[in-house]
Amino acid sequence: MFSPNVNAGISTRNPRRRQRTGSDDSTSQRHRPKRLRRSGISAETFKPPSSKQVNGYIQHVDNPPLVNGHVHDSKFQRDASVDTASLAIRNRAPKKVEREKRGNKTDGSIELTKNDNYMVTQLPTTPERLQNNQKAERWQGEIAAHVGYAVAMNHSQATVWRYIQGVSPNESSQPFTIKLQHSASDVRGPIPFGLVVPTAAEPAFLLVTAASGHITYWESLSSAASIDPSRQKQQGTQGAVSGMMSGEIITRVTEAEPHGFLLTFNTGRVAHMTVSDPQGKPLIKVQFLRSSAAYAGGLFGSLKNVFSSSGWRRDVAAVKAGSSWQRGQRYAVVATTRGVFQVWDLNWNGSHSLVYEIDAKEDLVKALADGGDIPQGKDDPSFQVLDFAFLPGGSTGKELVKSIEKGDCKLLVLTVMSNVNFSRYALVGLNLAGGSFAVDVVHPISCFTSSIPAESNFRPQILVPEPAQTAYIVFETSVVLVSLVSVEDSPSSQLQMEAHTLPKPFQDTIDFRRNKSYRVVGCAAEPLERGQAYSSCVLMVLGFGIVRIAALPMKEGQSVRDRATITARTKIEQAVFYGSLQQDLLDFSGRPEIKFTKEEVEKAALEVSHSIMNSSSAYISAILPSMDQQLQRRSIALADLMKHLNKHHEPLDRVTRWKLLWNAEKMAAAGAAWRCYNTAIATKRDQDKNLITELVDMLHENYKSETKPECYETDAVRHWFINDIGRLQYIIPWAQHACEQLFKESVEDGVEHDEFTKARLLSEANDLQLSALETAFRFREVNAALYGLSNEAMPNGVLLAGYEDFEDVIWTSSVLIVPTVKKLVDLSREMAIVQAGNEDESMSKLVEKLEADNPRLVDICCRTYIEKFRWMKSQADEQLRADGRALQLEHFRVRTPLFTKLADLGLAQEGIVLADRYYDMDALVDLIDLGMEEEQQRLDQPGTPESDRDQAFQTIRHLQAQIKSYFAKFGARWANAYFAKHISDGKTMELFRDASSYKHHLTTFLRHPTYAKLGWINEVHSEHNYAAAADSLRVAQKKDSSLWGKKIELSMSKLATLAAQSKGQIKDDSAEDAIQKIHRSTAILTMQEKFYDYIRPILKGAIDVTAEIDLALEQCCRRYVKGKPTLRGTLAGNIKMLICREALDAEDLIDTLTLIDEDGLYPDEEGFADNRFLYALKIVKLSSFETGERARKNLHEMIIWRRCMIQDDWEAINRTELKDDTQVEVETGATALFKTLREGYRTDFFTTSALIPPPSVLGAGITLSSLRASTRYTEMADDKLDRLRKDLESEDVLLETYIEKGRLEMWWKGVVEAAQRSARDEKDQAGEERRRRRSLETGFWKGLETKDMEEQPVEFDGQGDVVMGD
């Protein structure tokens, strides 16, 4: 076994075979195949393709002499010296397989993915058993692409089938099943090799047993597939590999035409096998490849080489057969994993020789390092050659033949640098010539860095099909495509190369699904068909079938840079449109080596979404017989888009997710709208107009894409649904407008639509708006989680918050939708009300539909309103926010009538449901109250049937239960509306009567200041809370404008406070403080009553209140407020309130007291006119701002003193010439200043209040800032406040004049002293008088005690004297 005769051919012919009788008998007696027609040869056959550079270094031609070990001699322009006449007919070149164009889908192929660069399809011819095999069963595959056959092998049988359907009807599509007679007993051992061998007729079949080396060759597939084992054996030529060592197995069988093969062994040895002699007769001959150096040294040298592994043991990476440069002569290249390449010269007769051997490892590693493909790490990476492929050379004609004779060739080598941390693959161009080599180019593989699993039985292979512009690197579960076409030489490309910005050639990875057991068991490059500009390869995938990968040519106008760029959009589109196919071979989750930024993904996602929306995507069929099906496909694509983004990309920006959701909503809404349209046109009468048809025709050209009549586009509606769904927000509002426009046009044309047509058009408008908007809102709510928006609250599909991120309003509430939905609600309701009771059956059905649609329209109307004003209120623009608040108020204003008017259609319960949903308590109360009244009327109506009465009772009980439930559900919101409705309707007593079920809510409601007048009753009656009753009464008196009512409420508040004090509900200190406040408020009201009594005499003779007001204004507003319009207006308004017995607030009462003229009034006995300024000062002191607002108090005090000082002409008083003291004293004593001071000192008012001299009151209220300091004027408009300032400034000017010209400041001191003296004298006199009266009273009563006399009533006069009777 250690000394094999490797040079001896082994022929194991069937011994039972009949011997030939002559040299030609074997051919003459054998069945001759039908003579084949030669394919036509023209000048185009040998014409090279366009001169594109490959990698920028290697000039490729269209004469591929060395392509993946498969040679097609018919395409080579041979030298004239080559003897072709001696070729045996039997061994003519195999017939070129006629096949259908691979781009044609009529062969039943299934498109698995496609982009601008490549297309992957599943061929339909794989036998079902192999296609559906998901078991752990081991298979091995071989593909003979040049004849269109595939072989699947296991230990027991071989299945052979034609994977490309031919055009000849004689070609069978049924697979051949070949039972293996020499199968290995160990199913875990290597699987035999089966190859389809091309012949002039039916292909032959070669079977090689890997472990034993047994070989069987059948000259036809039908012979190999014979059911009879003995017949099968007889028809096959048997042979074996002699000299195999123990444990040595065949690892690869490589075809080396004609009828030659190269066997690779696990020991590193390579053998050349032929299956026919030069005359074409079956003969199996095997010889191991040995160089002449292996025989040097005689016997012992030979034995040394045998026992030494250095001579032959090696890890062979790949063995490929090159081109044949003459009949029976061929070169083969053997590459080891260590980078050693051997070029062998093989002859048909079995002889062979080593042409040369090179060790390219160092140069390859250096080239990889220079290309930056060796990452720096702790561990040195290991270098391996995995595979290689032949590239076409740059020579043609005789130069090509000479080059082949020398064994020169160009290789594209697949290498890997790897350690435990990484694997870096690369394609290296290696030029072998004359025993030397050169590295031409390096293509680092950046899109695939996965390590090869140790348990993998499939070695990576590189395929470079014609026209050698794309390389396919086939791994067990992945395929890498690398473009070999570089950028054209140009000044621009030179600059980019210098700047290191030149785009890298296109690379991409096609992965199989990781959760499946799919794996490649065979692959092959496909030959280039005539007229075909792109390359392709085929894979045999275990459990799936035959897969073709085709590299597509560049599109017209496409640059190399564009083609080289893998965009996020391309990857996303592939995942969306192919990721959900039933043929789930490919994995679209993406590789970690190909990454995109978040911005790129978001942009791509939106582009894909928009392309689906407008049907511009190449993956969407724009025209299908079923428009509904086309819309559904687009909706599914949008959903698949989001699923892919969620699963394989980082979370998108919130706005992007919303935009994607809006597109999906539009698609779903359009589908619903189409179904409504489809139903409408299916049932319409011939003469009827369809709304959507008219609507699309009416749409402005900016809102739709134009149809192309020249392309025979006649259906505008379908055209809109195909191309313009992105503009759905424009067609929805036009539904209502179209109805009005059609009604108007019919009137203008003199042919007015009948009521049925109007109702039908309105019904179709309802269908459009409802189907679109309801579907959109429902879709949004249901699919929020899919779009990553589950954390955003959106009840009924309307977002609660977060609108500030949206630049534009959401499409469902665009500027036109909101008002038009409201109009359509009204139009539909009015039509239903007007046509109610119509006896026409068709009209009656339409009315019922309009009625049923109205609540849904109202619901949609509310949603659009809410969404619109929420967006507006969230924007940064202040005007938009203000408009949003206005729109919100408009919504609140219009929605209640929309709900309540549903009762006019007999849909009160639907209105209640909507009011409940939108928390419209007013509408809810109105509808329930209306229902209660209607049912009560039924009960009160005489003659009501008992059944109706029972129904009425039942309805009332149901409504009462609803009322009760609303207190629990809505709480104060419902309670407030419910109680307010009863109070406004005069049903207050019902509230107190039924308060037991809602006592707490009623108490809370009535404690609101608005209802304080009722609240104190509830506090006393239900709560027995006298302190709260006192508070309610105090609040009520503040709201009460009636003077009499205020006094009553203050008095009752005092009583309630005392009661609360006695019950311990309030502390004594708090009670006293409350009572003091009541006394102060009562004192102010008493002053107003005195004021009224003061002016009442002038009102005598007036016939009514208006006349009284006119008289008072005429008498009181003449002098002081003349020329002061603001003050005059204030005084006039206050006098009206005074006469109407309305309570003035403290500040208005102060203005009235200090501004009124007393000249035209009757004198009063109590001296009210003399003391009115002091009363004003007392009001300031009694008012609440006495201690709360110092600036406000000071401003009023200064104004009161100023007006008091300017009441008299101090210039005239200051002119004292020719006046005696008495006259001067009389004049000063008659001034308002003196009277005020004297009364204040007399009553001791100024003991707690300071006097303000004239200079100190100057400037009070003459500036806006000083007025703004008082809270009374904080909210007053600037223009109005400025007018008031001017009036106050005129007062200040007059006072300044009196100070300057009337020497008021000097008079001030004298007047103060005189007033003090006068008050003191008056007090002394009054005290003396009181003493005298007490003395008289004491003496009188003592006299009565000593005398026994009858009691008589005693009266005293005004001087204190006793009145003794008549």
Side-chain angles (χ1 to χ4, degrees):
M1 62 181 294
F2 294 102
S3 302
N5 184 7
V6 294
N7 293 321
I10 305 298
S11 177
T12 54
R13 285 262 185 109
N14 186 353
R16 300 176 62 184
R17 184 171 179 177
R18 183 169 57 87
Q19 298 294 321
R20 291 175 291 176
T21 58
S23 61
D24 295 333
D25 288 349
S26 61
T27 57
S28 61
Q29 298 297 326
R30 195 183 308 272
H31 171 72
R32 296 181 178 271
K34 181 185 294 185
R35 184 178 183 85
L36 300 178
R37 294 185 301 167
R38 297 183 181 269
S39 58
I41 299 179
S42 65
E44 298 295 329
T45 306
F46 307 103
K47 186 176 181 181
S50 59
S51 59
K52 289 193 176 183
Q53 294 180 352
V54 179
N55 308 323
Y57 301 93
I58 302 173
Q59 179 71 25
H60 290 178
V61 296
D62 197 27
N63 293 333
L66 310 167
V67 179
N68 298 331
H70 302 297
V71 182
H72 312 286
D73 297 336
S74 62
K75 290 194 175 183
F76 301 151
Q77 188 173 353
R78 299 179 178 273
D79 190 270
S81 62
V82 177
D83 183 13
T84 59
S86 62
L87 295 179
I89 297 300
R90 183 173 188 140
N91 289 322
R92 285 187 342 198
K95 180 182 68 174
K96 182 178 178 181
V97 179
E98 296 180 355
R99 68 184 81 203
E100 297 181 7
K101 294 293 183 181
R102 288 195 286 268
N104 191 352
K105 294 184 180 180
T106 57
D107 60 352
S109 61
I110 299 173
E111 196 171 270
L112 301 180
T113 189
K114 182 181 180 181
N115 55 33
D116 291 341
N117 294 290
Y118 59 84
M119 177 174 63
V120 182
T121 55
Q122 180 189 20
L123 302 185
T125 53
T126 306
E128 185 175 355
R129 176 177 176 234
L130 301 176
Q131 185 173 350
N132 298 329
N133 181 22
Q134 295 292 339
K135 301 179 182 179
E137 188 177 3
R138 295 173 57 204
W139 287 85
Q140 182 172 282
E142 295 288 343
I143 298 177
H146 47 302
V147 291
Y149 277 87
V151 182
M153 299 286 300
N154 62 14
H155 288 89
S156 60
Q157 67 179 28
T159 303
V160 184
W161 72 97
R162 185 174 177 80
Y163 75 87
I164 296 177
Q165 293 293 341
V167 297
S168 173
N170 296 326
E171 294 177 349
S172 173
S173 61
Q174 295 298 321
F176 296 95
T177 301
I178 302 173
K179 298 296 183 180
L180 306 185
Q181 303 299 324
H182 298 278
S183 60
S185 59
D186 185 6
V187 295
R188 291 175 297 179
I191 300 174
F193 296 92
L195 287 83
V196 174
V197 182
T199 64
E202 182 182 352
F205 185 74
L206 174 67
L207 177 65
V208 179
T209 305
S212 64
H214 186 85
I215 303 169
T216 305
Y217 176 70
W218 289 275
E219 292 188 277
S220 67
L221 287 173
S222 56
S223 299
S226 175
I227 300 177
D228 186 359
S230 60
R231 181 177 179 82
Q232 180 192 49
K233 185 174 182 180
Q234 291 175 1
Q235 292 181 348
T237 302
Q238 308 294 324
V241 178
S242 177
M244 291 180 62
M245 300 179 184
S246 176
E248 188 175 30
I249 62 173
I250 301 171
T251 59
R252 196 173 312 146
V253 178
T254 305
E255 187 175 355
E257 284 289 340
H259 289 199
F261 301 89
L262 294 171
L263 308 181
T264 305
F265 296 82
N266 61 340
T267 58
R269 296 199 296 171
V270 180
H272 180 216
M273 177 182 71
T274 58
V275 295
S276 63
D277 59 16
Q279 285 73 37
K281 300 175 183 178
L283 176 66
I284 297 177
K285 186 177 182 180
V286 180
Q287 285 188 337
F288 285 95
L289 300 185
R290 282 292 187 86
S291 64
S292 58
Y295 303 102
L299 174 63
F300 295 102
S302 178
L303 291 175
K304 179 180 179 181
N305 287 331
V306 171
F307 287 99
S308 173
S309 63
S310 61
W312 49 266
R313 186 173 293 278
R314 56 193 173 177
D315 189 0
V316 176
V319 177
K320 300 288 178 73
S323 181
S324 175
W325 56 277
Q326 70 177 13
R327 171 174 166 76
Q329 202 79 18
R330 183 178 302 279
Y331 281 104
V333 177
V334 178
T336 69
T337 57
R338 295 180 54 83
V340 176
F341 293 85
Q342 294 180 337
V343 179
W344 291 84
D345 182 10
L346 307 179
N347 195 284
W348 199 344
N349 62 13
S351 63
H352 59 269
S353 64
L354 177 64
V355 180
Y356 56 83
E357 176 182 288
I358 60 172
D359 187 349
K361 178 180 178 179
E362 291 184 4
D363 293 78
L364 290 174
V365 173
K366 183 178 183 300
L368 294 175
D370 294 341
D373 197 45
I374 305 179
Q376 299 299 323
K378 297 181 180 179
D379 301 327
D380 292 334
S382 63
F383 169 82
Q384 274 190 310
V385 171
L386 299 178
D387 194 19
F388 69 89
F390 289 104
L391 288 175
S395 302
T396 57
K398 294 182 178 180
E399 294 181 1
L400 174 62
V401 175
K402 293 178 180 179
S403 174
I404 296 175
E405 288 179 0
K406 299 176 182 179
D408 299 345
C409 57
K410 292 181 180 291
L411 307 180
L412 190 62
V413 183
L414 174 63
T415 66
V416 62
M417 301 289 293
S418 62
N419 61 15
V420 294
N421 298 318
F422 67 87
S423 293
R424 295 291 186 269
Y425 302 91
L427 295 179
V428 182
L430 193 63
N431 189 2
L432 305 182
S436 63
F437 66 93
V439 176
D440 292 331
V441 68
V442 176
H443 282 299
I445 306 302
S446 59
C447 63
F448 185 86
T449 59
S450 301
S451 299
I452 301 173
E455 67 277 6
S456 175
N457 294 320
F458 183 86
R459 293 183 64 92
Q461 297 185 35
I462 176 173
L463 307 176
V464 186
E466 304 171 47
Q469 295 181 357
T470 303
Y472 303 80
I473 306 173
V474 183
F475 296 87
E476 189 171 34
T477 59
S478 301
V479 179
V480 177
L481 283 78
V482 181
S483 174
L484 302 180
V485 179
S486 66
V487 180
E488 298 280 357
D489 286 335
S490 66
S492 175
S493 64
Q494 292 293 334
L495 292 174
Q496 289 177 333
M497 182 178 296
E498 293 174 1
H500 302 286
T501 59
L502 194 66
K504 295 180 179 180
F506 168 79
Q507 295 183 14
D508 199 5
T509 303
I510 302 172
D511 286 316
F512 298 165
R513 290 190 180 269
R514 299 180 180 90
N515 59 344
K516 300 287 187 177
S517 59
Y518 299 136
R519 58 186 178 86
V520 177
V521 294
C523 62
E526 291 195 294
L528 186 69
E529 295 180 359
R530 180 174 297 180
Q532 181 178 302
Y534 58 90
S535 63
S536 64
C537 70
V538 286
L539 315 176
M540 184 184 298
V541 181
L542 180 64
F544 191 80
I546 300 296
V547 175
R548 174 181 286 131
I549 303 177
L552 303 179
M554 287 196 298
K555 296 181 179 179
E556 184 177 355
Q558 187 182 26
S559 66
V560 175
R561 174 186 290 271
D562 294 338
R563 186 176 180 84
T565 303
I566 301 177
T567 63
R569 175 173 179 175
T570 298
K571 288 296 183 182
I572 291 174
E573 283 181 328
Q574 287 180 272
V576 169
F577 296 104
Y578 297 103
S580 59
L581 294 178
Q582 293 181 355
Q583 290 74 19
D584 56 348
L585 170 69
L586 305 183
D587 184 359
F588 298 100
S589 60
R591 296 196 59 83
E593 299 88 351
I594 303 175
K595 296 181 179 179
F596 305 100
T597 65
K598 182 178 178 181
E599 291 73 18
E600 289 175 331
V601 173
E602 290 176 349
K603 179 182 177 183
L606 290 174
E607 289 176 353
V608 172
S609 180
H610 289 308
S611 69
I612 297 172
M613 289 284 291
N614 55 31
S615 297
S616 62
S617 172
Y619 305 99
I620 294 291
S621 298
I623 299 178
L624 289 177
S626 172
M627 189 71 230
D628 186 37
Q629 185 179 7
Q630 200 261 3
L631 293 170
Q632 288 180 17
R633 288 186 180 181
R634 289 155 70 186
S635 293
I636 293 172
L638 290 174
D640 290 342
L641 168 63
M642 199 62 218
K643 292 175 183 177
H644 171 75
L645 294 172
N646 289 337
K647 186 175 181 180
H648 302 295
H649 295 275
E650 63 176 300
L652 305 181
D653 179 76
R654 176 176 179 268
V655 175
T656 302
R657 284 180 277 127
W658 270 103
K659 288 180 179 179
L660 294 173
L661 174 58
W662 293 334
N663 285 347
E665 292 170 8
K666 288 182 180 180
M667 187 60 63
W674 169 263
R675 287 187 287 275
C676 290
Y677 167 75
N678 200 42
T679 301
I681 61 175
T683 57
K684 79 179 188 70
R685 297 173 298 186
D686 294 340
Q687 70 275 17
D688 290 342
K689 288 186 176 181
N690 179 266
L691 180 69
I692 293 185
T693 304
E694 299 293 330
L695 183 56
V696 172
D697 183 60
M698 290 181 182
L699 274 178
H700 191 273
E701 59 185 8
N702 292 338
Y703 302 149
K704 63 181 178 180
S705 58
E706 293 296 326
T707 57
K708 299 177 181 179
E710 66 275 10
C711 297
Y712 305 100
E713 290 182 350
T714 59
D715 193 337
V717 175
R718 287 180 183 266
H719 180 84
W720 191 93
F721 276 95
I722 292 172
N723 299 282
D724 299 312
I725 288 178
R727 302 168 180 174
L728 184 63
Q729 66 270 27
Y730 300 112
I731 197 172
I732 292 175
W734 269 79
Q736 174 268 331
H737 177 74
C739 289
E740 293 184 340
Q741 188 68 22
L742 290 172
F743 298 165
K744 179 180 178 181
E745 290 177 358
S746 66
V747 174
E748 292 175 353
D749 295 341
V751 184
E752 185 174 357
H753 289 306
D754 58 86
E755 295 302 314
F756 177 81
T757 300
K758 291 181 179 179
R760 182 180 56 78
L761 291 174
L762 285 174
S763 174
E764 292 181 8
N766 290 353
D767 291 341
L768 175 59
Q769 289 196 350
L770 287 174
S771 61
L773 293 176
E774 281 184 338
T775 301
F777 283 120
R778 182 169 56 252
F779 184 94
R780 182 183 304 165
E781 189 173 13
V782 171
N783 292 277
L786 174 61
Y787 288 83
L789 302 169
S790 57
N791 60 333
E792 301 193 25
M794 53 181 78
N796 301 317
V798 180
L799 187 65
L800 280 180
Y803 291 87
E804 58 275 359
D805 295 336
F806 304 149
E807 294 181 0
D808 298 319
V809 65
I810 298 178
W811 73 274
T812 45
S813 56
S814 62
V815 64
L816 296 176
I817 287 181
V818 174
T820 54
V821 173
K822 166 67 169 57
K823 290 181 181 178
L824 188 60
V825 172
D826 294 334
L827 285 174
S828 300
R829 183 184 60 250
E830 291 169 4
M831 175 63 73
I833 292 174
V834 171
Q835 296 300 325
N838 193 310
E839 296 181 357
D840 182 74
E841 182 179 357
S842 299
M843 177 61 81
S844 177
K845 291 182 179 179
L846 268 180
V847 169
E848 290 178 1
K849 182 180 179 300
L850 291 175
E851 291 175 349
D853 289 345
N854 209 251
R856 297 166 60 199
L857 281 173
V858 171
D859 183 22
I860 291 298
C861 179
C862 291
R863 296 194 214 181
T864 57
Y865 261 108
I866 294 171
E867 188 174 76
K868 180 70 174 292
F869 73 65
R870 283 178 180 170
W871 175 82
M872 296 175 72
K873 288 173 63 178
S874 68
Q875 299 306 296
D877 184 77
E878 180 57 37
Q879 184 59 47
L880 265 179
R881 291 202 299 270
D883 293 343
R885 291 189 291 270
L887 185 64
Q888 184 178 19
L889 294 176
E890 179 185 342
H891 168 61
F892 293 156
R893 177 177 56 82
V894 302
R895 75 178 182 184
T896 300
L898 290 178
F899 295 156
T900 55
K901 287 182 179 179
L902 289 174
D904 299 338
L905 301 174
L907 301 172
Q909 188 58 41
E910 285 76 2
I912 290 174
V913 172
L914 289 174
D916 183 335
R917 179 181 303 164
Y918 291 100
Y919 296 86
D920 191 334
M921 300 299 104
D922 293 335
L924 200 57
V925 170
D926 289 343
L927 288 167
I928 287 184
D929 189 61
L930 178 63
M932 296 283 284
E933 288 182 358
E934 290 179 352
E935 299 305 322
Q936 191 61 46
Q937 289 176 1
R938 291 174 64 185
L939 292 175
D940 296 340
Q941 185 176 359
T944 302
E946 191 63 27
S947 59
D948 291 349
R949 292 178 63 84
D950 293 341
Q951 181 65 35
F953 276 121
Q954 184 177 355
T955 303
I956 290 175
R957 285 193 295 270
H958 173 70
L959 293 175
Q960 289 174 340
Q962 281 187 298
I963 292 172
K964 186 176 181 180
S965 67
Y966 290 150
F967 279 105
K969 181 177 182 179
F970 299 115
R973 296 183 63 177
W974 162 257
N976 294 345
Y978 182 73
F979 299 144
K981 172 69 174 176
H982 278 68
I983 292 172
S984 64
D985 290 348
K987 301 177 181 178
T988 306
M989 292 307 299
E990 293 184 12
L991 293 180
F992 291 115
R993 184 176 62 245
D994 302 331
S996 59
S997 60
Y998 43 75
K999 178 180 177 182
H1000 170 71
H1001 291 290
L1002 181 60
T1003 299
T1004 303
F1005 171 78
L1006 293 177
R1007 283 179 179 172
H1008 190 276
T1010 306
Y1011 304 103
K1013 286 188 175 182
L1014 293 173
W1016 73 270
I1017 300 174
N1018 181 70
E1019 299 292 350
V1020 173
H1021 178 264
S1022 298
E1023 303 294 335
H1024 304 292
N1025 190 336
Y1026 300 104
D1031 292 338
S1032 295
L1033 286 165
R1034 281 194 295 272
V1035 173
Q1037 65 86 22
K1038 292 179 181 180
K1039 299 290 183 179
D1040 200 339
S1041 62
S1042 169
L1043 181 64
W1044 178 85
K1046 274 183 175 289
K1047 293 189 70 175
I1048 295 297
E1049 287 156 355
L1050 285 171
S1051 300
M1052 296 180 67
S1053 177
K1054 180 179 179 180
L1055 291 174
T1057 303
L1058 294 172
Q1061 184 180 13
S1062 65
K1063 295 288 187 181
Q1065 297 176 356
I1066 187 174
K1067 295 181 180 180
D1068 293 342
D1069 293 342
S1070 300
E1072 290 177 4
D1073 291 342
I1075 291 173
Q1076 287 298 324
K1077 290 180 181 179
I1078 293 172
H1079 286 168
R1080 288 197 296 267
S1081 298
T1082 304
I1084 295 175
L1085 295 176
T1086 301
M1087 290 181 190
Q1088 181 175 341
E1089 287 187 322
K1090 288 182 177 181
F1091 194 5
Y1092 177 76
D1093 292 339
Y1094 171 63
I1095 67 171
R1096 187 167 56 180
I1098 68 173
L1099 305 179
K1100 294 180 180 179
I1103 60 176
D1104 54 18
V1105 175
T1106 304
E1108 289 180 348
I1109 294 172
D1110 292 340
L1111 285 174
L1113 293 178
E1114 184 180 353
Q1115 295 295 325
C1116 301
C1117 302
R1118 292 184 298 179
R1119 180 179 65 83
Y1120 186 81
V1121 295
K1122 184 178 181 181
K1124 303 181 182 71
T1126 302
L1127 293 178
R1128 179 181 175 83
T1130 300
L1131 179 59
N1134 293 343
I1135 289 177
K1136 290 178 182 179
M1137 294 178 65
L1138 185 66
I1139 294 174
C1140 294
R1141 308 295 287 164
E1142 295 181 9
L1144 296 169
D1145 62 29
E1147 291 163 312
D1148 287 335
L1149 186 55
I1150 290 171
D1151 283 340
T1152 307
L1153 289 171
T1154 57
L1155 294 176
I1156 196 171
D1157 294 333
E1158 60 182 61
D1159 300 345
L1161 301 178
Y1162 294 100
D1164 63 305
E1165 296 179 356
E1166 297 183 2
F1168 183 85
D1170 296 340
N1171 300 328
R1172 57 193 178 96
F1173 290 101
L1174 183 62
Y1175 289 156
L1177 291 172
K1178 288 183 177 180
I1179 293 173
V1180 173
K1181 191 172 183 179
L1182 292 170
S1183 299
S1184 59
F1185 51 75
E1186 164 68 16
T1187 56
E1189 299 180 67
R1190 193 70 187 172
R1192 193 172 183 181
K1193 171 182 176 293
N1194 292 340
L1195 179 63
H1196 283 295
E1197 286 182 338
M1198 294 171 67
I1199 290 176
I1200 292 170
W1201 280 111
R1202 184 172 63 195
R1203 289 174 181 173
C1204 178
M1205 294 172 185
I1206 65 177
Q1207 283 293 311
D1208 301 286
D1209 188 354
W1210 287 96
E1211 288 188 64
I1213 294 173
N1214 186 55
R1215 291 192 291 271
T1216 58
E1217 62 273 13
L1218 300 178
K1219 294 180 182 179
D1220 57 15
D1221 290 343
T1222 304
Q1223 184 177 357
V1224 173
E1225 290 178 356
V1226 170
E1227 288 181 356
T1228 55
T1231 61
L1233 181 59
F1234 176 81
K1235 295 175 182 179
T1236 302
L1237 289 170
R1238 183 187 62 185
E1239 182 64 19
Y1241 282 121
R1242 189 183 70 82
T1243 58
D1244 296 326
F1245 178 77
F1246 293 123
T1247 59
T1248 57
S1249 298
L1251 300 177
I1252 304 178
S1256 299
V1257 300
L1258 285 174
I1262 65 172
T1263 63
L1264 292 178
S1265 59
S1266 63
L1267 290 173
R1268 292 288 188 198
S1270 172
T1271 55
R1272 185 187 188 192
Y1273 304 114
T1274 302
E1275 300 297 331
M1276 184 178 289
D1278 289 343
D1279 55 345
K1280 186 177 180 180
L1281 189 63
D1282 188 61
R1283 291 194 295 269
L1284 174 62
R1285 182 196 62 79
K1286 291 178 181 178
D1287 289 354
L1288 296 176
E1289 188 177 25
S1290 65
E1291 293 180 351
D1292 208 62
V1293 171
L1294 182 58
L1295 176 61
E1296 191 173 6
T1297 301
Y1298 288 159
I1299 293 174
E1300 180 183 353
K1301 297 181 179 180
R1303 299 190 300 170
L1304 179 57
E1305 185 177 359
M1306 298 179 62
W1307 282 100
W1308 164 262
K1309 296 179 181 180
V1311 173
V1312 170
E1313 292 178 0
Q1316 288 177 331
R1317 186 172 56 254
S1318 175
R1320 188 169 54 249
D1321 292 344
E1322 186 176 348
K1323 284 182 178 182
D1324 292 344
Q1325 182 181 358
E1328 185 66 29
E1329 183 66 27
R1330 283 194 297 273
R1331 286 193 297 271
R1332 188 178 69 82
R1333 291 182 66 180
R1334 281 197 299 270
S1335 177
L1336 289 176
E1337 290 175 357
T1338 303
F1340 176 76
W1341 289 113
K1342 284 183 179 181
L1344 290 180
E1345 290 177 359
T1346 59
K1347 296 179 182 180
D1348 185 14
M1349 56 181 303
E1350 297 180 356
E1351 292 184 1
Q1352 297 292 332
V1354 180
E1355 296 182 14
F1356 295 89
D1357 60 13
Q1359 303 298 324
D1361 296 332
V1362 177
V1363 179
M1364 301 303 293
D1366 295 339

